[in-house]
Amino acid sequence: MFRNLWVKFFLLLTAVSLIALSSALLLRELMISDFRKYLEGEMEDRVYWVTASLESTYEQYSGWERDNVVSDTVWALMLGFHMRLYDKDGSLVIDTGQAVDSLSPLVKKRVAALSELRAAEDSARFVPYALFLGGNEIGQLEVSVLRPGKESLFIHRSNMMLLLSLLMLGGSAIFLSLVFSKKLTKPVKGLTEGVTAISEGNLKKRVVIPGQDEIGMLSHAFNRMAQTLETQESLRKKITANIAHELRTPMSIIRGELEGMMDGFIPTDREHLESLYAEIKRLMHILEGIEELARAEASSLTLRKQTVDLAAFLGNIAGRFRQTFHEKGVLLEMQCEEGLTANADPDRLSQVIMNLLGNALNATTKGGRVLIKAERNDTELAIEILDSGCGIAQKDLPFIFERFYKGKHGGLGLGLTIVRELVEAHGGRIEARSELGKGSSFTVFLPL
């Protein structure tokens, strides 16, 4: 159960909620503690008021008489105390009960209502206070704080409010934790199902996760990956069939001619041996193409970079191709800034340019034009091959660099894939632009 991501999210969010709610309990304890300390200080002040009043009454009447201290005792009750007054010999002068009993019924009723009178329990805690006059002890006062009804009601209601708040907020927090943990992990679950489907061979699987957050971006990246894998798999199956067909044709011819020679139906003369040799060359061409792609993919480990003078480098390649272009009636031109250099492997870069020029020549008819152009900006060096040939259909353009993708000119579909691998091995990139019937442009960008 705890392996599920949503359970972990739920427990985490619940723990955070409980920690936040526990802070409310701590705050409540601090508030109640401060409130009680305030009440204790207030009660202490009231006790001193009563003692001062009793000492003043003693001075006024020169002694303790019950009738003289009734008002002080009732006042103490109004302030929230039970009290007992003793003279200096320890004899009880008056207590709260006696003082209240001495009042008239109407006054007694009103005093009881105003003072929230409670019956003093035997176990009530009385605190003694000595009474002095002129430095001499004149008696002793014992007081017991009544249980304040209003203060108790305040604490009780605050506790009930806190409890209801905790129940409501805690329940809401747990509910929201459950909802959001499910919501947060649902996209991850969808991606997991998508990855599982892809790993099981279902390359058509896609995930639908709305939003532009990180999970949404991940889902878009996953769908692009799945689309690429589907395209690659389709191309792989196509090239497998193409290779099988390409291999089957020369192998069938070779087998048929050899069987004919063995049976004596075909003479073993030079003409028939040259036919066998041509079919073997076709086989070698197919195998060399696949081998060349493997070398291009590993070229980043074998590059031997050096400073290349582009004007001389491109001029040399153009010179090697010029006769071939001339025979087909295609004009080959070159534009390159003087002093322009590139940090590249000359052999690999030459392979890139020659491959692109060969494609341009194949795509361009008599009277057409091919241009080699090299220039630089602040961060990149650009080598562009432009032709006025037949162009590439827009539906084919996104796939021309994919391995085994064959255009209308045939071949194995590996040439441009090899070009891309070699360019990326140099840390660069290649871009293609084309319009059907108007020509194409392939630009190699290399870092300076």
Side-chain angles (χ1 to χ4, degrees), residues 287-299 351 403-404 413-414 417-419 421:
L287 297 176
E288 286 172 356
I290 297 174
E291 184 181 10
E292 185 63 32
L293 175 61
R295 285 200 299 266
E297 290 175 339
S299 60
Q351 186 178 356
R403 67 187 64 186
F404 309 134
L414 296 177
T417 304
I418 293 173
V419 167
E421 294 290 344

Side-chain angles (χ1 to χ4, degrees), residues 75-125:
W75 183 48
L77 176 62
M78 300 285 287
L79 292 177
F81 302 110
H82 275 307
M83 63 167 279
R84 297 171 185 167
L85 179 61
Y86 297 90
D87 59 18
K88 62 182 178 178
D89 297 328
S91 299
L92 180 64
V93 177
I94 194 172
D95 62 18
T96 302
Q98 294 172 352
V100 172
D101 289 340
S102 66
L103 299 175
S104 64
L106 179 59
V107 176
K108 180 179 179 179
K109 183 177 180 181
R110 296 189 65 182
V111 168
L114 292 173
S115 63
E116 301 179 359
L117 181 60
R118 302 286 186 275
E121 300 178 357
D122 294 336
S123 60
R125 177 173 171 268

Side-chain angles (χ1 to χ4, degrees), residues 9-171:
F9 266 114
F10 172 68
L11 293 177
L12 175 62
L13 295 174
T14 301
V16 172
S17 301
L18 292 177
I19 292 173
L21 292 174
S22 64
S23 64
L25 293 174
L26 178 61
L27 179 62
R28 178 259 179 196
E29 290 298 324
L30 293 175
M31 291 179 61
I32 294 299
S33 176
D34 289 344
F35 181 66
R36 284 174 175 164
K37 288 179 180 179
Y38 165 77
L39 290 180
E40 291 174 0
E42 188 73 15
M43 289 298 177
E44 194 72 18
D45 291 341
R46 293 178 182 182
V47 169
Y48 289 131
W49 296 347
V50 174
T51 57
S53 179
L54 289 172
E55 289 170 348
S56 177
T57 300
Y58 181 88
E59 182 181 16
Q60 181 179 356
Y61 295 104
S62 302
W64 296 118
E65 293 293 337
R66 175 181 295 181
D67 294 339
N68 297 333
V69 294
V70 168
S71 59
D72 292 324
T73 306
V74 173
W75 183 48
L77 176 62
M78 300 285 287
L79 292 177
F81 302 110
H82 275 307
M83 63 167 279
R84 297 171 185 167
L85 179 61
Y86 297 90
D87 59 18
K88 62 182 178 178
D89 297 328
S91 299
L92 180 64
V93 177
I94 194 172
D95 62 18
T96 302
Q98 294 172 352
V100 172
D101 289 340
S102 66
L103 299 175
S104 64
L106 179 59
V107 176
K108 180 179 179 179
K109 183 177 180 181
R110 296 189 65 182
V111 168
L114 292 173
S115 63
E116 301 179 359
L117 181 60
R118 302 286 186 275
E121 300 178 357
D122 294 336
S123 60
R125 177 173 171 268
F126 282 85
V127 179
Y129 291 87
L131 301 173
F132 293 91
L133 185 63
N136 298 316
E137 184 175 353
I138 58 176
Q140 189 178 56
L141 173 67
E142 291 183 352
V143 297
S144 174
V145 179
L146 294 171
R147 295 176 62 185
K150 293 180 179 179
E151 289 81 357
S152 299
L153 181 62
F154 169 77
I155 294 175
H156 173 71
R157 287 183 175 176
S158 63
N159 288 338
M160 291 300 296
M161 181 63 69
L162 179 63
L163 178 61
L164 290 174
S165 298
L166 288 177
L167 290 176
M168 293 176 63
L169 294 177

Side-chain angles (χ1 to χ4, degrees), residues 232-276:
Q232 291 279 6
E233 180 64 13
S234 175
L235 293 176
R236 185 190 66 80
K237 291 179 179 179
K238 183 178 179 180
I239 191 56
T240 300
N242 290 342
I243 289 178
H245 175 72
E246 294 288 342
L247 292 175
R248 186 182 297 111
T249 301
M251 290 296 291
S252 298
I253 294 174
I254 293 172
R255 179 182 176 181
E257 292 193 4
L258 287 176
E259 287 178 350
M261 291 179 182
M262 291 170 61
D263 294 336
F265 295 111
I266 299 177
T268 56
D269 55 15
R270 181 180 180 85
E271 179 182 355
H272 290 91
L273 290 176
E274 287 180 350
S275 174
L276 290 176

